[in-house]
Amino acid sequence: MNVKRRRLEGIITGRPRTGPQTVHFDLANACNTRCTTCWHHSPHLLAAHVPSALWKKQQLALDRFQAVLDDLVALGGLEAVILSGMGDPTLNEELYAMVAYARQAGVHVTIITNGLRLDVARLLDAVGPSYRDDLDLLFSVCGVSPAAWQAFHAHPRGDGHQQMLMRLAELRASGFRPKHVQVINTHNVHELAAMVDFAHDQQAKLVSFKLASLAHGTEAVALDAAQREQLAGDWLPAAMARATALDVATDLSAFACQVAAMRGDPAALRTAPIEDIGCFMGFLYARVTVEGELLFCCNTRVDVGHLAAGGFAEQWHGAAWQARRDSVRAGRYFAGCEQCGKLKQNLKWSDKLRGALGEERFLPLIGRAP
């Protein structure tokens, strides 16, 4: 039985038949920007949620990354790793060695970064000649004008926007097409259509839009009531029209699902109708923090273990992880699920499972009566 069939059967039966498809590794807690939406570095964080200087210095060691990757490959089912962080992964000097190690194992690599410290030549060399196929670079743009970029990133120096443009120019010169990430908040929401134009001019592979998940004081940069209405009524349709006219690949249809969820919430912080979609991350995804904590998804509040307690594989099939799977399968979600950071992946699998199983067999998988 092939891996795809085993993964699907695991979701249907509620017990994984293979390891995760994608594992997200945090490489660094430090960051060179202070994005206003960030739960770890935003200048708007409440005092109780500001991390310590010691925490910010922590990085994932190369030998730990290699050991976990080896365990994952032996477990079976791994297709891709995401190299990111609660800060920026380029601040970990071992990034390029980790990329090379993953590629030697035949694993696809995705990097999420603001790009300011990215060594483009070194990265592409680490991936090898197949970098156009075996690497995805999610370039965190989050504002295309200098004013919006600076307002969002709160960069400590005045040249951040120019540095971003320089990295994008280097990528274009190499023939590599990154994906742009546009996290939307009050500072940049008016630029939605301009973000599509920017992606076209910069030859981006795709533009991914996401409403910011806000908490711990970052609610200060939430969209106001007028912006929410204009986003739904004007800015989003205009961006969709621009994407069609320019033939720019986007995920605006999934973004529209977030916008609809937000408009239905009086506090305007809800961005995911998770109870209608379901969560399948317990069979597809895991996250490893710098400290070695194992997370069920990208939600830092939903832990399932720690590398200090044993290997990844034994914990993947252990009681703590299974309890989390059983909870969401029964429709019992966690704090933060209303702002699901893996909404688009869950949407994709929800549609796939609904189509394969039919509504009557699908609904019990998300805790709903048929």
Side-chain angles (χ1 to χ4, degrees), residues 164-174 202:
M164 176 196 70
L165 294 178
M166 289 171 61
R167 295 294 87 74
L168 289 173
E170 290 176 24
L171 289 164
R172 285 199 311 279
S174 73
Q202 295 289 332

Side-chain angles (χ1 to χ4, degrees), residues 1-15:
M1 187 185 299
N2 64 34
V3 170
K4 290 183 178 179
R5 171 63 68 178
R6 292 202 305 274
R7 183 168 289 119
L8 181 62
E9 288 200 356
I11 294 173
I12 293 171
T13 62
R15 296 291 184 274

